[in-house]
Amino acid sequence: MKITLEKRLAPSTLMLFAVPVFSIFLALLLGGVFLVINGSNPVEIYGMLFKSAFGSSYGITESIVKAIPLMLAGLGVSLAFRMQLWNIGAEGQIYMGAVAATWVALTFPGLPAPVMIPFMLFMGFLAGALWALLPAIPRAYMNVNETITTLLMNYIAILWADYLIYGPWKDPAGFNFPLTPKFVPAAILPTLGETRIHLGLIFAIGAAIVIYILIKHTKWGYEVRVIGESPAAARYAGMNIKKNICLVLFLSGGLAGIAGMAEVSGVAGRLQHGISPGYGYTAIIVAWLARLHPATLALVSFLFGGLLVGGFAIQLIGMPAATVSMLQGLILFFVLGGQVLTNYNIKIISSPKKSASKEVE
């Protein structure tokens, strides 16, 4: 007997739905095994995770706040993934967007809010986009692997932000904490009622609608899809692959940059050390779990936002917040593994019977 994989003509509809659901189930199951080995009760921990994130109005609103940067960065990386461009640098692009928005807030404190907020938004987008364009150019013209370059540039961006926080932008009244001065009220995004849900949610929803229209209903979106599925066919059809690589990564980084702007302007009210607890990396998992679809991505971002909120809650019973990171890694592992079942049929080929072989002889 022999087991082989046969590529499907089109992805299985059943598997498109079943793989993400089953991946989460397996991740929770295997995560539970780790928890049991460490002497913890997985039912208690999972229950606390769920209850703290979705069991109260406060938990739900906090999950939405955490979902905003995930959704923006997830939209960015999913756009790049459509063209088979592995933008692992969303974390650094978030930081560069946060730095640029902070520069606006600290340099022009006298601007009115209707000017300040769009200016910060533009600079946040531009900084993230230019940071992504740096690895895009060698990828397009010299075929340099963007996975490595975008990943390594994360560390440069984070250290650059730390230099500013600990150095020139350090708050003299901050008791030596790694913080910049607080933004003026005009640089703070408005919030919804008494919650911490800020205007960044509108940015994220608007970006999702724009990305969906661009990808599904424009010639450029068609080119992006064709290049991602068959670069050879795109080249034969005369599509400009180099230009599209630069453009897609530019937009991808820009969306992550907006996430950084939203974090400093909508949540922290200043730039501080560790402004992103790994949103850029989690966004990669969100994008794959949502299968790169903007609407699904919004839902998955909310669920992962809840996972982050739950991660803080379980620290009250002595569990490290890294438990959530472990679950995220397991989910990504099973989702990527499940892609095989989505794109391939498993064929079991029986060996020829011995009797038949003898007859042939």
Side-chain angles (χ1 to χ4, degrees), residues 283-354:
I284 296 170
I285 307 173
V286 169
W288 275 116
L289 205 58
R291 300 199 57 79
L292 313 183
H293 194 286
T296 316
L297 202 143
L299 175 63
V300 177
S301 297
F302 175 63
L303 295 175
F304 269 71
L307 201 58
L308 291 174
V309 172
F312 294 120
I314 61 173
Q315 294 181 73
L316 297 175
I317 56 174
M319 291 300 298
T323 305
V324 169
S325 302
M326 176 193 73
L327 291 175
Q328 290 176 352
L330 288 172
I331 291 171
L332 179 63
F333 175 80
F334 284 112
V335 166
L336 293 179
Q339 292 297 313
V340 176
L341 298 176
T342 306
N343 297 317
Y344 291 87
N345 272 321
I346 298 177
K347 291 281 185 183
I348 301 175
I349 302 173
S350 303
S351 302
K353 293 180 181 177
K354 290 182 179 178

Side-chain angles (χ1 to χ4, degrees), residues 113-166:
V115 178
M116 177 77 84
I117 298 298
F119 193 14
M120 292 174 69
L121 180 65
F122 172 74
M123 289 304 296
F125 173 86
L126 186 64
L130 291 176
W131 197 247
L133 189 61
L134 290 177
I137 293 172
R139 168 65 176 83
Y141 293 93
M142 292 178 281
N143 205 27
V144 175
N145 189 324
E146 77 282 1
T147 308
I148 303 298
T149 52
T150 54
L151 175 65
L152 294 180
M153 287 180 72
N154 287 340
Y155 301 101
I156 301 172
I158 294 170
L159 290 173
W160 170 243
D162 279 349
Y163 163 74
L164 294 171
I165 294 166
Y166 285 96

Side-chain angles (χ1 to χ4, degrees), residues 49 83 145 151 179 185 193 227 229 267 269 303 314 326 333 361:
L49 268 173
M83 256 187 65
N145 189 324
L151 175 65
L179 307 163
I227 293 171
E229 291 171 8
V267 178
L303 295 175
I314 61 173
M326 176 193 73
F333 175 80
E361 289 171 2

Side-chain angles (χ1 to χ4, degrees), residues 176-201:
N176 216 27
F177 284 102
L179 307 163
T180 65
K182 281 187 177 179
F183 293 174
V184 296
I188 303 295
L189 291 177
T191 55
L192 178 64
E194 299 297 321
T195 71
R196 295 205 310 150
I197 300 173
H198 54 78
L199 192 61
L201 180 63

Side-chain angles (χ1 to χ4, degrees), residues 70-88:
L70 292 178
M71 189 172 166
L72 284 164
L75 286 168
V77 296
S78 67
L79 181 62
F81 290 166
R82 281 185 180 277
M83 256 187 65
Q84 305 292 314
L85 295 171
W86 311 116
N87 178 15
I88 314 298

